[in-house]
Amino acid sequence: MSPPKLKEVNVSLPRKFDTPDEPWYRYITVDLLHYVLGYTVFHPFVACVLVLCLRAQYTPWHALEMRIAIAWAMLMCTIGIFNIISDRIAYGAPREVDLSEEVIVITGGVDGLGGLLAETYGMRNANVAVLDMKKVDDEEAEEKGVFYYQCDVGDAKQVEAAVAEIVEDLGAPTILVNNAGMVRAGSILDSTPEEVEQTFRTNTISHFNTLRAVLPHMLSERRGTIVTVSSVLGRLGAANLSSYTASKAALLALHQSLRAELAQNPDANEIKTILVTPGQMGTKMFQGVKTPSKFLGPVVSLAEVAKSIMNLIEKGESGEVALPLYTKYAGTLDALPVGIQALLRRWSAMDTAIQKSGMVSKSEMKEQ
């Protein structure tokens, strides 16, 4: 059976004068160094090849460089095996994923991260359904190969009705990407009950609505993948983003509770969970917010986050997507002395970035 043909999509590459002309070293970040080192010096295969290269040069086993190379190779292999065993204990064996047999539901999938995921899977002829408040005309939907259902994910009844349509049109959902989100910047004192409630309905309550509607189908199919898109700010908090950070923090607890419940259900052995906690992404949601250090805390592209999410989904694995690198270790901040925590927050300018960006004065609602 020949594989399905990919759809032809007209794209226009950026012209040279459309992209900033920056010196080469501005593109070097700690994430890039971590990636390169991870596939060279700190990779078990490369470490073992180094030992073979030394032997090929007839380096004696008792030579100092050979002993160091062997010790390094053993250390890298031990760490690699430990990580594999740790992931298997935590997440279990991966499930088989065939996109032609999966039904993918993405909330907030008209633009942003959700839009990129939906259009990418649509181009690959996957069964993709998007739940979003924004309306997409039939011609555009057909061109992208995506089914769009206009729906307020914060409304449980609308979600139930939309999922019922998806089951009828495409089949039982097996992959759920809870991506819908919004932000309204401002002081706690300036916030209104209606604004806070709207933020939680979109960012948090929507996850409960979709899980109640989709998870029973996954349990009946005995397979599935659930992606929870939170934020590193859910771990850190930030001034003038209280409702946003609080709603994203709730998702961290929801993800852990979901995993705990699935672990107790015998029908959920093949249901995988993915937690996404990105830093600042290149979207309109935080447009204008400047990172204090492009080297340590670069703005991560939508393509990088989407690629990492899709990689886990298609491998049938559970896991976490934390980009850029600092977001992976943001949770350890609470283990540091409070004085060091205060200095790090002051140095990172995370509590003044929103005010300086002008988001507070604009008081605009932005969606992910």
Side-chain angles (χ1 to χ4, degrees), residues 204-282:
T204 308
I205 303 300
S206 63
H207 289 241
F208 286 90
N209 295 338
T210 54
L211 285 172
R212 283 194 299 265
V214 171
L215 188 54
H217 296 286
M218 292 186 181
L219 291 172
S220 64
E221 293 285 324
R222 302 179 71 91
R223 62 190 174 96
T225 299
I226 300 170
V227 181
T228 301
V229 181
S230 181
S231 168
V232 68
L233 291 178
R235 301 188 189 279
L236 301 174
N240 295 307
L241 285 176
S242 56
S243 60
Y244 176 80
T245 57
S247 65
K248 290 296 185 178
L251 297 181
L252 302 178
L254 172 60
H255 174 78
Q256 295 298 337
S257 297
L258 174 64
R259 287 193 60 212
E261 289 189 19
L262 293 176
Q264 298 175 9
N265 192 323
D267 293 333
N269 291 333
E270 294 289 312
I271 297 180
K272 303 301 175 180
T273 57
I274 300 172
L275 176 65
V276 186
T277 55
Q280 184 179 342
M281 292 191 292

Side-chain angles (χ1 to χ4, degrees), residues 183-201:
V183 61
R184 192 189 294 271
S187 166
I188 296 174
L189 297 177
D190 295 332
S191 64
T192 66
E194 293 76 19
E195 291 173 351
V196 174
E197 182 180 354
Q198 184 182 19
T199 301
F200 270 84
R201 280 170 57 85

Side-chain angles (χ1 to χ4, degrees), residues 17-31:
F17 53 82
D18 288 335
T19 57
D21 188 14
E22 295 186 345
W24 63 269
Y25 57 82
R26 294 295 298 272
Y27 296 96
I28 297 179
T29 66
V30 68
D31 290 70

Side-chain angles (χ1 to χ4, degrees), residues 104-178:
I104 306 169
V105 177
I106 303 174
T107 66
V110 170
D111 48 27
L113 176 61
L116 180 58
L117 288 170
E119 292 180 31
T120 302
Y121 277 127
M123 286 189 292
R124 296 172 62 184
N125 292 320
N127 302 307
V128 185
V130 166
L131 304 183
D132 202 301
M133 286 284 290
K134 299 174 183 176
K135 184 173 178 57
V136 177
D137 60 61
D138 295 338
E139 184 178 346
E140 181 180 353
E142 185 177 356
E143 182 180 346
K144 293 179 178 179
V146 177
F147 288 79
Y148 291 92
Y149 300 83
Q150 193 172 13
C151 169
D152 178 4
V153 290
D155 187 320
K157 291 184 178 180
Q158 290 190 39
V159 171
E160 291 173 4
V163 170
E165 287 186 51
I166 292 171
V167 173
E168 184 176 348
D169 295 340
L170 301 174
T174 53
I175 297 175
L176 171 63
V177 182
N178 271 321

